[in-house]
Amino acid sequence: MRVLQNVLLVIGAPALGVATCGLGLASVLAATAFRTRPGQDPSLDWGATGAFLCCGLGGGAFGAVAGLVLAVRWMTHHRSGPWGAATWVGVVLGVAVVAAVRLSGVLGGHVTGAVLRWGPGLACLLAAGGTLGGLLGGAIDARRGHREARRRRRRHTA
């Protein structure tokens, strides 16, 4: 089980880094600095396309490297047990939400919608969604563990 958890961490952390850094930076720049101005011919906007791709790829590469380094550092410096039920439910729900968004076509006209229609982009966002869901589920598991530890302490002191 520990090997599976490590494999999921090594796959998910860089995917989350790519999704947050690459898509985030590219989307913000597309919506602000590199958008087509009113009255401008969109076919003449090649410089913005190049800058958009450079920002997306550069941010994605940085996010992937940062996620991989942090995942390996986490595995080598922390000894943790098996993930709790809330973590696994979070992973499944995160993947399910990304799959539902992909199948619904809600983001069809946006940058993220174009990435969801591309196979590797979909795989990356599925892994990122699972990782984010697992992080949220792990936070719930940790919160539940702290609450139970406090209850045990109260019983022993009384």
Side-chain angles (χ1 to χ4, degrees), residues 26-155:
S27 296
V28 166
L29 289 176
T32 57
F34 300 133
R35 64 184 162 83
T36 304
R37 305 289 183 248
Q40 181 182 2
D41 183 13
S43 64
L44 301 176
D45 210 7
W46 288 102
T49 304
F52 173 79
L53 287 173
C54 288
C55 288
L57 293 174
F62 172 76
V65 169
L68 183 63
V69 167
L70 289 173
V72 170
R73 186 177 189 292
W74 179 267
M75 289 184 312
T76 57
H77 287 71
H78 290 88
R79 293 284 173 220
S80 61
W83 292 345
T87 304
W88 287 108
V89 168
V91 169
V92 170
L93 285 177
V95 169
V97 165
V98 173
V101 168
R102 165 62 175 98
L103 293 175
S104 71
V106 171
L107 298 174
H110 300 285
V111 173
T112 310
V115 171
L116 282 172
R117 286 188 298 275
W118 180 52
L122 176 61
C124 180
L125 288 178
L126 284 170
T131 303
L132 188 59
L135 287 171
L136 293 174
I140 291 170
D141 268 342
R143 180 88 174 141
R144 188 178 298 148
H146 290 303
R147 200 176 304 140
E148 291 171 4
R150 274 187 267 142
R151 284 185 194 144
R152 276 182 278 185
R153 273 186 268 152
R154 285 186 196 144
R155 277 190 237 140

